[in-house]
């Protein structure tokens, strides 16, 4: 993207461009390219995502303080406090190798860094978005780095940035980051996978491509307007993870290749689904309505698998252009949208705060209050935030996002500490189950409570979330006035403003 042509040389972006080009003029990247090519690429990505000029300018300047003789004050004087604050956040994140090390190592120093890292992006989501664009370019140009740094970069990307991008709803970015990192982190596994899928991939991709015009004709004869149709191969890393869950049996993977259909409206999505199911019988148990029940990162789409031409099981993904943009860009799409709506409102962040994919940012903020010890906080982030997730539902269809193998007790504590404390039983999909039953995505969970009941010490054996553990311990170890203390720590919401009737924990 030609930034100067798009924004003009005298704009904020234009001035930042000239400034950064000058500041970095004597440095080169490991590849031998002028350093400024990196700044331009990062800013180009940020502009493509539709972020504001301040973010694009900050992207151009993101390495100036760390890598040149200019200081933050210079940046502030030249470009104002907003650009300064973004560059400051980005400069802090430069120490990220230590911060990520905090996820695996147990030293207090490093977990403190991780905490700072999360706080810094939670204050302004734009810092994180620019950082993700920075990481994307570094990963795309990884080949020129020495082996050791390549590994560190790739590992961080797989452990931290990929999951973060996913949690922000940026599925395309998350997929690309993970695929770029995968061969460096798990070279043997990558090679095996390549061998295993090469032929089936090419075969099925050819099959799906041939299907595309057939699908278009089919929908048109039923008067369903089609915006676009294409055939997509599944990402390598996500396929690798899926194969691990299915005993490496490629025969059990039905979305190796998917046909993606984009239609103008939600009604057209369901109409298209109907037509496809009429033409080709659906494969049972493979229909997912992420429009009625979006994934917890905000993803919406209809997914189905059908016995298609030649009875081959084929996955279809049906969505609107808006859902498509959101699936690709996630939070960035909301950000740009909200920004366009309140041009004059400086606090765009508040407008998108309640979006589903941002609730976890809020959750992290709340945790900072709950976990005062940095080691404990680190443990909570590691187990509750980065592990594979289970999405269970309340009877009201609220999605509760939990780590893998979480139990009804974790679910209960996630809703509210009192519900956890007073939990006596659980109904999963209408049936009473033992409290240590691992939950699965899509389970509808109803917690049975009894007033005045105390948590059992036994629960510590099986609960998976740090939050539940902490709460159980604090009740078990509490002195007699605990009821009062808990009320102070967890006041009930004074206005019932918790999400759709669910009381929020630690409301401030
Ligand atoms: Mn950089």
């Amino acid at each position: 993207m030609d930034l100067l042509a798009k924004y003009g040389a005298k704009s904020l972006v234009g001035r930042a461009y000239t400034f950064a080009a000058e500041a970095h003029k004597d440095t080169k990247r490991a590849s031998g390219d002028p350093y400024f090519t990196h700044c331009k690429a990062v800013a180009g990505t940020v502009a493509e995502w539709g972020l504001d000029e301040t973010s694009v300018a900050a992207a151009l300047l993101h390495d100036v303080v760390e890598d040149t003789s200019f200081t933050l004050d210079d940046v502030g004087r030249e470009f104002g406090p907003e650009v300064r604050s973004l560059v400051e956040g980005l400069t802090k994140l430069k120490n990220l190798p230590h911060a990520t090390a905090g996820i695996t190592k147990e030293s207090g120093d490093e977990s403190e860094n991780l905490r700072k890292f999360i706080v810094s992006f939670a204050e302004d989501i734009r810092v994180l978005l620019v950082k993700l664009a920075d990481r994307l370019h570094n990963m795309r140009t990884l080949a020129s780095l020495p082996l050791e740094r390549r590994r560190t970069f790739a590992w961080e990307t797989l452990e931290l940035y990929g999951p973060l991008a996913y949690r922000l709803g940026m599925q395309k970015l998350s997929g690309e980051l993970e695929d770029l990192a995968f061969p460096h982190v798990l070279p043997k596994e990558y090679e095996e996978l390549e061998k295993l899928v090469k032929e089936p991939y090419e075969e099925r991709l050819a099959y799906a491509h041939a299907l595309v015009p057939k699908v278009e004709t089919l929908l048109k004869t039923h008067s369903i307007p089609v915006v676009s149709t294409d055939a997509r191969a599944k990402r390598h890393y996500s396929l690798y993870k899926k194969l691990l869950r299915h005993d490496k049996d490629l025969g059990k993977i039905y979305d190796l290749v998917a046909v993606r259909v984009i239609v103008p409206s939600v009604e057209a999505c369901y109409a298209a689904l109907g037509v496809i199911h009429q033409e080709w019988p659906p494969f049972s148990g493979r229909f997912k309505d992420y429009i009625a029940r979006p994934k917890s990162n905000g993803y919406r789409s209809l997914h189905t698998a059908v016995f298609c031409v030649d009875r081959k099981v084929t996955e279809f993904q049906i969505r609107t252009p808006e859902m498509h943009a959101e699936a690709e860009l996630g939070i960035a799409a909301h950000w740009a949208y909200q920004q366009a709506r309140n041009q004059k409102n400086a606090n765009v962040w508040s407008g998108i705060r309640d979006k589903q994919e941002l609730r976890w940012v809020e959750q992290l903020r709340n945790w900072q209050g709950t976990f005062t010890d940095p080691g404990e906080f680190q443990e909570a982030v590691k187990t509750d935030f980065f592990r594979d997730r289970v999405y269970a539902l309340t009877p009201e269809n609220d999605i509760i996002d939990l780590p893998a193998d979480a139990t009804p007790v974790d679910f209960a504590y996630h809703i509210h500490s009192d519900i956890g404390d007073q939990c006596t039983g659980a109904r999963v999909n209408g049936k009473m189950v033992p409290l240590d039953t691992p939950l699965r995505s899509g389970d509808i969970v109803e917690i049975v409570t009894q007033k005045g009941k105390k948590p059992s010490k036994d629960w510590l054996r099986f609960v998976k979330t740090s939050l539940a553990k902490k709460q159980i311990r604090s009740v078990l170890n509490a002195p007699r006035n605990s009821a009062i203390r808990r009320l102070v720590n967890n006041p009930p919401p004074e206005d019932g403003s918790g999400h759709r009737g669910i009381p929020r924990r630690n409301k401030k």
Side-chain angles (χ1 to χ4, degrees):
M1 179 183 292
D2 188 342
L3 292 163
L4 280 181
K6 183 172 176 191
Y7 295 91
K10 290 204 176 120
S11 66
L12 179 66
V13 171
R15 288 189 293 119
Y17 186 101
T18 316
F19 187 97
E22 178 64 24
H24 290 292
K25 74 174 189 302
D26 296 326
T27 32
K28 288 203 168 15
R29 306 195 78 213
S31 61
D33 290 333
Y35 196 89
F36 185 59
T37 55
H38 169 65
C39 314
K40 267 198 297 197
V42 175
T45 301
V46 171
E48 262 169 43
W49 289 346
L51 297 191
D52 60 345
E53 275 203 65
T54 311
S55 310
V56 181
L60 282 163
L61 299 163
H62 79 273
D63 281 329
V64 156
V65 174
E66 186 77 12
D67 296 350
T68 77
S69 57
F70 291 100
T71 64
L72 259 183
D73 287 334
D74 296 329
V75 172
R77 214 173 301 117
E78 248 354 272
F79 303 102
E82 215 183 331
V83 173
R84 185 201 149 110
S85 122
L86 293 186
V87 173
E88 187 180 9
L90 286 157
T91 306
K92 280 190 205 149
L93 294 191
K94 268 240 144 175
N95 297 322
L96 206 69
H98 311 293
T100 356
I103 299 175
T104 48
K105 292 180 193 157
E106 298 295 326
S107 120
D109 232 21
E110 284 155 340
S111 56
E112 181 60 18
N113 273 331
L114 177 65
R115 198 177 73 83
K116 279 194 193 133
F117 165 67
I118 289 163
V119 177
S120 61
F121 77 65
E123 273 166 17
D124 193 328
I125 199 78
R126 292 176 294 177
V127 171
L128 182 62
L129 293 174
V130 177
K131 184 67 200 175
L132 286 170
D134 177 42
R135 178 51 55 127
L136 178 63
H137 188 248
N138 284 331
M139 287 305 295
R140 281 177 176 165
T141 53
L142 200 62
S144 46
L145 287 185
L147 184 72
E148 215 21 61
R149 288 204 63 204
R150 235 185 290 162
R151 284 236 173 92
T152 316
F153 256 82
W155 187 83
E156 270 176 21
T157 302
L158 214 52
E159 289 291 310
L160 181 64
Y161 292 106
L164 274 177
Y166 183 82
R167 300 288 298 220
L168 290 168
M170 306 171 86
Q171 311 216 85
K172 189 182 172 199
L173 174 66
S174 146
E176 182 173 356
L177 286 174
E178 288 178 345
D179 272 6
L180 286 167
F182 181 29
H184 300 283
V185 177
L186 301 161
K188 261 216 218 112
E189 289 81 352
Y190 178 78
E191 230 173 81
E192 256 175 51
L193 183 82
E194 282 269 80
K195 267 192 231 140
L196 184 68
V197 299
K198 197 167 180 290
E199 247 175 62
Y201 246 160
E202 282 165 5
E203 229 171 73
R204 289 184 65 170
L205 201 57
Y207 168 85
H209 276 305
L211 211 55
V212 163
K214 288 198 181 99
V215 174
E216 284 185 355
T217 315
L218 174 70
L219 294 175
K220 273 174 196 153
T221 51
H222 286 81
S223 315
I224 297 167
V226 177
V227 177
S228 67
T229 315
D230 71 330
R232 290 297 229 62
K234 194 172 182 61
R235 294 260 182 198
H236 273 95
Y237 187 62
S238 89
L239 177 59
Y240 167 72
K241 282 192 296 188
K242 202 160 189 175
L243 278 171
L244 285 184
R245 291 200 301 271
H246 290 90
D247 315 315
K248 301 208 174 172
D249 183 355
L250 208 57
K252 288 182 186 156
I253 311 289
Y254 301 114
D255 58 351
L256 202 55
V257 163
V259 176
R260 186 175 289 161
V261 182
I262 298 178
V263 293
S265 65
V266 172
E267 295 72 46
C269 288
Y270 289 101
L273 178 79
V275 168
I276 289 165
H277 279 179
Q278 228 168 43
E279 183 76 10
W280 298 298
F283 186 85
S284 101
R286 298 285 307 171
F287 170 60
K288 292 189 189 98
D289 187 345
Y290 295 122
I291 295 179
R293 278 180 191 167
K295 285 192 188 179
S296 85
N297 70 352
Y299 176 78
R300 291 181 300 156
S301 208
L302 298 176
H303 287 194
T304 189
V306 299
F307 294 98
C308 207
V309 175
D310 302 331
R311 302 274 304 162
K312 282 197 180 185
V313 178
T314 305
E315 173 162 288
F316 282 83
Q317 301 173 354
I318 308 165
R319 55 175 84 145
T320 66
E322 193 196 346
M323 294 173 199
H324 185 59
E326 280 182 15
E328 307 262 296
L329 284 174
I331 195 84
H334 291 304
W335 205 100
Y337 171 71
Q338 199 67 32
Q339 218 238 340
R341 259 187 28 181
N342 358 323
Q343 273 300 345
K344 295 218 174 76
N345 183 355
N347 196 0
V348 176
W349 167 243
S350 68
I352 51 174
R353 180 158 290 170
D354 289 331
K355 282 278 169 203
Q356 179 93 34
E357 55 268 54
L358 281 184
R359 284 195 204 152
W360 62 267
V361 174
E362 284 291 294
Q363 189 181 39
L364 282 170
R365 283 186 163 170
N366 286 339
W367 283 354
Q368 282 163 26
T370 311
F371 297 97
T372 41
D373 168 29
E376 221 181 6
F377 175 75
Q378 171 201 315
E379 193 55 34
V381 170
K382 190 166 84 184
T383 56
D384 296 358
F385 178 55
F386 286 105
R387 278 180 53 176
D388 285 339
R389 312 300 299 178
V390 162
Y391 304 111
L393 302 161
T394 67
E396 292 78 37
N397 265 347
D398 277 300
I399 298 165
I400 303 294
D401 176 352
L402 296 162
D405 296 322
T407 62
V409 176
D410 294 292
F411 182 94
Y413 275 111
H414 199 96
I415 292 175
H416 196 272
S417 50
D418 287 344
I419 295 183
D421 289 348
Q422 300 173 9
C423 161
T424 57
R427 230 171 265 130
V428 172
N429 304 324
K431 283 198 195 99
M432 287 302 291
V433 298
L435 284 176
D436 61 356
T437 309
L439 296 175
R440 287 170 315 173
S441 284
D443 281 345
I444 298 171
V445 184
E446 205 179 326
I447 300 295
V448 183
T449 57
Q450 189 190 314
K451 261 229 151 62
K453 171 93 174 34
K454 289 262 164 59
S456 151
K457 196 175 164 197
D458 201 38
W459 293 355
L460 290 170
R461 266 194 315 110
F462 58 76
V463 293
K464 290 293 178 302
T465 55
S466 312
L467 199 64
K469 272 182 207 151
K470 185 182 171 67
Q471 192 65 31
I472 296 165
R473 284 205 189 99
S474 87
V475 175
L476 292 176
N477 303 334
R480 239 173 291 146
N481 65 352
S482 65
I484 297 166
R485 229 190 35 208
R486 267 182 27 236
L487 202 63
V488 173
N489 289 338
N490 299 311
E494 49 303 298
D495 53 4
S497 68
H499 288 294
R500 279 172 279 170
I502 292 185
R504 270 210 194 155
R505 191 193 321 277
N506 296 338
K507 199 162 186 292
K508 296 223 170 96

